Amino acid sequence: DAKTTQPPSMDCAEGRAANLPCNHSTISGNEYVYWYRQIHSQGPQYIIHGLKNNETNEMASLIITEDRKSSTLILPHATLRDTAVYYCIVRASYGGSQGNLIFGKGTKLSVKP
Amino acid sequence: SAVISQKPSRDICQRGTSLTIQCQVDSQVTMMFWYRQQPGQSLTLIATANQGSEATYESGFVIDKFPISRPNLTFSTLTVSNMSPEDSSIYLCSVRGARGETQYFGPGTRLLVL
């Protein structure tokens, strides 16, 4: 079972920041937080991941709370092409079955003009 | 990042037949996986494809229904056997490199069983 809880849907105005929350209150010390998105009819696309510190790349920023029980994915300037289902996934750093990506239902983000 | 291709990209099949899906990666990878995404649902892990040995299947998936091969570090196949309409799904190949941090997904194979 997925170890994360996300709102089923969110709306965002084009050009504004999209803040997608994720709750992972049972996360273990060696587990990373990963974010993927799936644009309609395509394979999931990797966005970003983090362990403790906040992370930023060309696509997004990831803010992880100090207790690591929740995180927020931030798309700084959402465009219509960011409309997708966003998945927050907790995954162990080592191999074996604990390292597998297990998908929950995700958040369907709709960016509106 | 790894570039992953899948063949076929889509197919329409008759019930009772079998379809083999190919996954090719542009670089050697440590781990290869197969996922299924049923209509309107999230992704479900079918199995881990192991090089030179039998695949490791998740609960609810069996080798007789979904035989998997992985002859080398860049190629794997998934066969959907004795298909029924309930097998209509998108089947996705996924890979992870030696460092194990980031996992990438192929474009998927869209299967419709009539």
Side-chain angles (χ1 to χ4, degrees):
Chain A
D1 291 338
K3 296 183 177 181
T4 61
T5 303
Q6 300 177 251
S9 64
M10 292 182 62
D11 290 341
C12 178
E14 188 178 19
R16 304 297 293 270
N19 297 283
L20 291 92
C22 180
N23 182 289
H24 32 79
S25 58
T26 62
I27 193 169
S28 300
N30 66 341
E31 289 180 320
Y32 287 76
V33 179
Y34 281 77
W35 283 84
Y36 283 78
R37 73 180 182 183
Q38 187 174 28
I39 297 171
H40 182 63
S41 298
Q42 299 181 20
Q45 178 188 23
Y46 166 78
I47 300 174
I48 199 168
H49 74 280
L51 182 62
K52 296 181 181 178
N53 300 321
N54 298 337
E55 302 288 343
T56 295
N57 62 21
E58 64 279 4
M59 291 183 65
S61 294
L62 173 60
I63 308 298
I64 302 174
T65 58
E66 192 169 343
D67 63 8
R68 301 187 70 235
K69 293 184 177 182
S70 65
S71 61
T72 301
L73 179 74
I74 301 173
L75 308 178
H77 306 286
T79 70
L80 298 179
R81 285 179 288 185
D82 292 321
T83 293
V85 178
Y86 287 77
Y87 296 99
C88 170
I89 304 168
V90 164
R91 197 206 118 195
S93 59
Y94 46 81
S97 61
Q98 294 94 334
N100 291 339
L101 283 180
I102 305 300
F103 285 76
K105 297 183 184 301
T107 295
K108 180 172 174 53
L109 175 69
S110 298
V111 181
K112 300 181 183 300
Chain B
S1 65
V3 177
I4 305 166
S5 60
Q6 289 185 229
K7 290 182 181 180
S9 59
R10 61 179 66 239
D11 207 342
I12 300 174
C13 300
Q14 297 298 317
R15 69 171 66 209
T17 63
S18 298
L19 176 71
T20 295
I21 303 168
Q22 298 179 3
C23 176
Q24 179 74 54
V25 192
D26 68 341
S27 59
Q28 294 186 346
V29 292
T30 304
M31 310 285 286
M32 295 184 78
F33 307 90
W34 287 98
Y35 285 78
R36 179 177 74 179
Q37 188 171 29
Q38 295 177 299
Q41 303 297 313
S42 184
L43 283 77
T44 301
L45 179 62
I46 297 172
T48 302
N50 301 310
Q51 187 202 0
S53 64
E54 191 173 288
T56 303
Y57 289 86
E58 297 298 304
S59 175
F61 297 96
V62 295
I63 188 171
D64 290 346
K65 177 66 176 176
F66 298 102
I68 289 171
S69 76
R70 189 180 172 191
N72 56 50
L73 292 176
T74 63
F75 185 80
S76 177
T77 66
L78 168 74
T79 299
V80 186
S81 302
N82 189 25
M83 288 183 286
S84 68
E86 292 70 34
D87 294 320
S88 297
S89 297
I90 300 173
Y91 292 86
L92 296 127
C93 174
S94 182
V95 305
R96 202 159 77 213
R99 289 189 59 200
E101 287 197 343
T102 304
Q103 190 165 324
Y104 299 97
F105 287 81
T109 295
R110 285 147 190 80
L111 172 62
L112 176 63
V113 183
L114 302 176

